[in-house]
């Protein structure tokens, strides 16, 4: 079946450090891939997405490239801020109904 | 664009009681989804609707759970005879079309605590 695996958190960084969150997936067919972010006490917000192999999604300084050969969609940001502290979820969508399957989430804590 | 709205945001109930959550999707979206999220985990799919038709239900949705979307507008999720294991955040989401590449927009969630 389909699955998403994310690196475990928490990931603790200093402000302006480089962030990488690993995400790998298992899926049949050609999934779309997403990164969502969840701030404390809030729902999920779409951060970026990629719908086919080699696509790069980007938003707010975050980037992720859809790598079909390694079945990965790692999230990166070159210089994090305290406001980036949140839980980040990798997700895949495989069916025509738009249903998403999520990873367990990775908590990121950025300290001043 | 007022976003996906959920009500109530927080609910504390005693075990055995019934609870109902309401979701108002973004107005032009005909797809509506319910997910459940427990602490430290990612959201798990429960069910979805296209307009008023409920098209898929997860096996997580036991017979104590029922979801409706009358007239294809707002949706309700009812949990009967609540159990402590039902404590979670219930997330509603909507999307404009039935394609996996389209963005799904989430509400802020309804927290349920069963005591």
């Amino acid at each position: 079946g389909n699955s998403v695996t994310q690196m475990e958190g928490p990931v603790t960084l200093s402000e302006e450090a480089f962030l990488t969150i690993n995400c790998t997936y298992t899926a049949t067919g050609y999934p779309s891939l997403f990164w969502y972010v969840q701030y404390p006490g809030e729902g999920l917000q779409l951060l970026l997405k990629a719908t086919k192999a080699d696509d790069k999604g980007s938003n707010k300084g975050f980037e992720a490239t859809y790598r079909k050969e390694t079945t990965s969609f790692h999230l990166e940001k070159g210089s994090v801020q305290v406001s980036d502290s949140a839980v980040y979820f990798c997700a895949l969508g495989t069916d025509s109904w738009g249903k998403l399957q999520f990873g367990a989430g990775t908590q990121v804590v950025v300290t001043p | 664009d007022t976003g996906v709205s959920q009500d109530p945001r927080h609910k504390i109930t005693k075990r055995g009681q019934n609870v109902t959550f309401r979701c108002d999707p973004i107005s032009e979206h005909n797809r509506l989804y319910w997910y459940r999220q427990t602490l430290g985990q990612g959201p798990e799919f429960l069910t979805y609707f296209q307009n008023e038709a409920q098209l898929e239900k997860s096996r997580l949705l036991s017979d104590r759970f029922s979801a409706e979307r009358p007239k294809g507008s707002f949706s309700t999720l009812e949990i009967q005879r609540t159990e402590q294991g039902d404590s979670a955040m219930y997330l509603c989401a909507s999307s404009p079309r039935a394609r996996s590449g389209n963005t799904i927009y989430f509400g802020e969630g309804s927290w349920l605590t069963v005591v």
Side-chain angles (χ1 to χ4, degrees):
Chain A
N2 299 331
S3 66
V4 177
T5 302
Q6 292 182 232
M7 61 188 288
E8 289 189 17
V11 175
T12 303
L13 303 164
S14 297
E15 205 164 23
E16 299 183 0
F18 185 86
L19 170 68
T20 298
I21 304 176
N22 291 340
C23 171
T24 57
Y25 68 90
T26 302
T28 56
Y30 302 94
S32 294
L33 299 171
F34 304 82
W35 277 101
Y36 279 83
V37 58
Q38 186 174 38
Y39 299 101
E42 298 184 10
L44 279 73
Q45 302 175 24
L46 178 69
L47 184 58
L48 53 84
K49 68 179 184 182
T51 57
K52 60 183 187 294
D54 300 325
D55 270 1
K56 177 186 283 188
S58 62
N59 185 29
K60 299 181 181 179
F62 290 89
E63 293 183 341
T65 301
Y66 186 158
R67 301 288 189 197
K68 192 166 178 65
E69 65 276 14
T70 55
T71 62
S72 65
F73 192 54
H74 305 321
L75 183 68
E76 297 181 337
K77 185 174 185 182
S79 177
V80 294
Q81 305 299 312
V82 173
S83 57
D84 294 324
S85 297
V87 180
Y88 293 81
F89 293 93
C90 185
L92 66 83
T94 57
D95 63 29
S96 61
W97 306 114
K99 183 176 68 177
L100 297 179
Q101 184 153 356
F102 287 86
T106 302
Q107 183 180 11
V108 172
V109 178
V110 181
T111 58
Chain B
D1 182 355
T2 57
V4 178
S5 177
Q6 293 189 243
D7 183 71
R9 292 291 313 280
H10 302 273
K11 178 73 175 179
I12 300 174
T13 191
K14 292 183 178 179
R15 189 175 55 184
Q17 297 295 304
N18 299 345
V19 297
T20 299
F21 300 110
R22 177 183 170 120
C23 172
D24 288 274
I26 295 171
S27 61
E28 66 270 24
H29 289 184
N30 59 2
R31 305 291 290 162
L32 187 146
Y33 310 81
W34 285 99
Y35 285 80
R36 181 174 70 185
Q37 184 179 18
T38 53
L39 282 177
Q41 298 298 316
E44 298 172 295
F45 168 78
L46 292 178
T47 189
Y48 58 58
F49 293 82
Q50 175 151 338
N51 299 314
E52 67 276 8
Q54 188 173 18
L55 297 180
E56 186 174 333
K57 295 192 293 185
S58 163
R59 63 180 181 275
L60 294 175
L61 212 67
S62 75
D63 57 4
R64 296 185 299 105
F65 288 71
S66 62
E68 296 182 342
R69 192 183 182 195
K71 302 180 181 178
S73 55
F74 71 92
S75 176
T76 58
L77 177 69
E78 180 183 19
I79 309 173
Q80 296 182 325
R81 306 181 303 280
T82 53
E83 301 173 356
Q84 288 188 323
D86 297 332
S87 296
M89 182 162 67
Y90 291 85
L91 289 162
C92 180
S94 68
S95 70
R97 286 184 295 176
R99 292 176 59 187
S100 61
N102 283 314
T103 300
I104 295 177
Y105 298 86
F106 283 84
E108 294 192 333
S110 292
W111 281 101
L112 173 65
T113 302
V114 181
V115 298

